Amino acid sequence: MIYISEEASAALVSHDLAYAAAREALVAAASEQSGVFPAVLGRSCDPGNTFSVKSGWSDDLTGVKVGSFWSGNPARGLARHNSTIVLLDQATGRLRAVIEAGAVNAYRTAASDAVAADLLARRQARVMAVFGAGNQALFEVEALARIRPIDRVLVAARPSPRRDAFVATLTARGLTAQVVPAEAAVRGADIVVSATPSRAPLFQADWVKPGTHVVSMGSDAPGKQELPLELLSRARLFCDLPAQSVQIGDFQHARADIEAGKLALVQIGDVIEGRAPGRQSEEEITVYDSSGISLQDLYIAEALIRAQAERG
């Protein structure tokens, strides 16, 4: 049985590794030779401590990821977010690998958004707006800056030491970063990424200019919402997995219209494989709902196993 600790997986992971694994996972998710089971959401005796269980299979991999959020961990010197991936042996069902993947999970999530943005964002997109300044925000900027010439970041977040540290980090990495109101962030951006636990829209639809690419990655449970419903009728809609997106992703709020055929929802794996078009004009608005699927976890786990073997 293979075991990779949190420290080891954090040392092995990179944006390059995560991007390749996410692309492979999103292709697998859009094939007939894969399955993703409904996410299970739970909590401990303390309602502030929550976890999710995501599982799935492909021709190559079978397994499960448990992601947890323990609100009191910073007082213990630990991260709030943790993640553990379990791979099963395809032939026997016995335990094949256990990988602690707290840091890896942030790379994995941002990688899906980068894969989609490379197909949907305009080639010369330079200004990125980010809602939120938490754990995920920096990974989103780094991942998207690899595939688009991002040189300016507009941060829409509540005042906090974390927000100030986020802006300082971006500035130290050579980006022009500034805190702006939500409206200015959206109106000024080529790419808008929301990375929050919001349960109400973060901005108004009419603030989004033609040609913008919008990403919702914080909506990953029933009741969460980051995007205004009015935006969806003006945009082309994409997601990692339609069945999950309308259950726990941001498109849960448009589920009736999607199922009735009033709104079309395209799986990003079909765009990667050329079965559906990505961006079709410089003026259209594209929206990607990144709800986070189990196959992303399984494929990045396999990539980490290969990377560890290569290092000896």
Side-chain angles (χ1 to χ4, degrees), residues 4-5 17 39 46-47 49 61 136 143 187 286 291 302:
I4 301 179
S5 69
L17 180 148
D46 181 342
N49 299 334
L61 299 166
Q136 190 62 33
R187 288 190 184 277
T286 54
S291 61
E302 185 70 10

Side-chain angles (χ1 to χ4, degrees), residues 28-35 57-60 295 299:
S31 78
E32 295 182 356
Q33 298 303 311
S34 69
W57 63 273
S58 71
D59 273 351
D60 305 311
L295 292 180
Y299 277 87

Side-chain angles (χ1 to χ4, degrees), residues 5 10-11 51 53 74 89 99 107 130 137 168 181 205 208 221 223 225 243 255 283 291 300 304 308:
S5 69
F51 63 89
V53 181
D89 185 280
I99 300 172
Y107 283 89
V130 180
V208 181
Q225 183 179 14
R255 180 174 181 176
E283 297 300 305
S291 61
I300 202 167
L304 290 167
Q308 180 173 255

